[in-house]
């Protein structure tokens, strides 16, 4: 499994899977060669100012996360970087959670998803902004997590602000997954999980405000 080169992408344009949802988002391509299917996330079609700033930074961040998480089932295999603006990962056959109505996904799926999230955090990575489209229901109903463009990493000494940002991002990931669990299989939420959801910590409320400002900025 190897990422295509930029020349190969130009010579045989891949199937556009999903155009960037706004001026700052990457295009998502499906690339198929010799029976191997990859997803290519590419900022090259974005305006120059996006490429030079967040495009490169997001690719660096996401590649770093995928490299750290390569041993985990539930994280697509990393195929390599195309260049500083694009990378490729294994294509996961299946659909994301936005395609499912409440009750259509099993309780077991969410148990495994919470377990996957714990392993991701133990490996020193927080996804940072889990959305229902970032959770894929893969083959055999196994959960997969994608989109590490807003990842935070475990770094810096205990008690440092970097460490606190990482911990806050882990907490926000967990809340996001519990919310998804609540939406899809509400009866399966334990008392402790329900308490967690209804008692957000102060940093979370503050973080939510900061994130909505950041998203509003990206949407412009
Ligand atoms: N490895 C993958 N396999 C299958 N689908 C994927 C994969 N990676 C991403 N996708 C799909 O493409 C969508 C967009 O990718 P994502 O990395 O979340 O980009 P964005 O930054 O635009 O949210 C995801 O919501 C998911 O549905
Ligand atoms: Mg996403």
């Amino acid at each position: 499994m190897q990422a295509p080169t930029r020349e190969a992408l130009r010579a045989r344009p891949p199937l556009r899977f999903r155009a960037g949802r706004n001026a700052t988002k990457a295009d998502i391509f499906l690339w198929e060669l010799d029976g191997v299917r990859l997803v290519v996330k590419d900022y090259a079609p974005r305006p120059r100012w996006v490429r030079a700033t967040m495009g490169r930074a997001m690719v660096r961040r996401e590649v770093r996360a995928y490299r750290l998480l390569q041993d985990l089932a539930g994280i697509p295999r990393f195929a390599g970087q195309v260049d500083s603006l694009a990378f490729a990962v294994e294509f996961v056959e299946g659909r994301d959670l936005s395609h499912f109505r409440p009750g259509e996904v099993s309780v077991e799926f969410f148990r495994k998803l919470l377990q996957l999230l714990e392993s991701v955090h133990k490996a020193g990575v927080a996804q940072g902004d889990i959305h229902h489209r970032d959770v894929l229901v893969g083959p055999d109903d196994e959960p997969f997590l994608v989109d590490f463009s807003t990842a935070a990493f475990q770094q810096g000494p205990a008690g440092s602000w970097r460490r606190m940002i990482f911990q806050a991002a882990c907490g926000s990931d967990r809340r996001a997954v519990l919310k998804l669990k609540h939406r899809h299989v509400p009866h399966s939420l334990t008392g402790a999980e329900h308490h967690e959801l209804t008692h957000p910590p102060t940093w979370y409320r503050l973080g939510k405000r900061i994130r909505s400002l950041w998203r509003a900025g990206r949407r412009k």
Side-chain angles (χ1 to χ4, degrees):
M1 197 164 63
Q2 211 185 344
T5 58
R6 180 61 70 187
E7 291 67 40
L9 281 181
R10 277 201 204 103
R12 198 171 70 83
L15 196 66
R16 189 147 88 166
F17 185 57
R18 194 165 142 169
R21 276 175 292 141
N22 60 44
T24 64
K25 289 262 187 182
D27 275 358
I28 311 285
F29 294 108
L30 184 62
W31 174 258
E32 194 168 353
L33 194 66
D34 302 331
V36 178
R37 296 171 115 194
L38 300 176
V39 162
V40 178
K41 196 165 174 178
D42 190 7
Y43 287 87
R46 299 283 78 84
R48 188 202 291 253
W49 71 269
V50 176
R51 293 200 308 263
T53 55
M54 61 175 77
R56 274 173 223 278
M58 294 228 177
V59 168
R60 258 201 313 269
R61 184 184 298 255
E62 200 156 357
V63 164
R64 181 177 171 192
Y66 274 115
R67 287 207 166 113
L68 284 167
L69 300 174
Q70 274 314 275
D71 295 337
L72 300 185
I75 302 296
R77 300 299 90 197
F78 178 64
Q81 226 170 308
V82 174
D83 53 24
S84 61
L85 292 169
F87 66 92
V89 294
E90 163 201 10
F91 172 73
V92 177
E93 206 71 57
R95 285 179 303 162
D96 67 62
L97 268 187
S98 71
H99 290 91
F100 295 86
R101 284 197 302 255
E104 288 181 345
V105 180
S106 69
V107 172
E108 178 62 5
F109 178 88
F110 285 94
R111 191 191 61 75
K112 287 183 186 162
L113 180 60
L114 280 164
Q115 211 171 49
L116 169 61
L117 189 65
E118 216 178 294
S119 311
V120 166
H121 292 166
K122 276 207 184 113
V125 181
Q127 200 266 13
D129 191 18
I130 297 178
H131 194 266
H132 59 175
R133 292 204 173 85
D134 301 327
V135 176
L136 307 175
V137 182
D140 300 320
D141 284 349
E142 291 293 325
F144 280 79
L145 189 60
V146 299
D147 194 359
F148 293 88
S149 54
T150 52
F153 301 95
Q154 185 169 32
Q155 53 196 357
S160 63
W161 65 270
R162 279 168 176 249
R163 208 41 108 82
M164 285 192 284
I165 287 175
F166 174 70
Q167 274 151 6
C170 289
S172 138
D173 281 357
R174 185 166 158 87
R175 287 187 65 77
V177 168
L178 288 180
K179 277 188 190 164
L180 291 173
K181 185 177 176 184
H182 182 248
R183 183 186 307 161
H184 287 272
V185 282
H187 59 279
S188 74
L189 223 61
T190 65
E193 287 171 348
H194 193 264
H195 186 268
E196 242 183 287
L197 268 186
T198 48
H199 294 78
T202 318
W203 60 259
Y204 178 77
R205 276 179 266 132
L206 187 68
K208 211 170 164 180
R209 176 94 190 106
I210 294 171
R211 275 204 308 280
S212 63
L213 287 173
W214 154 249
R215 280 206 204 98
R218 284 184 78 193
R219 240 176 265 130
K220 274 178 197 149

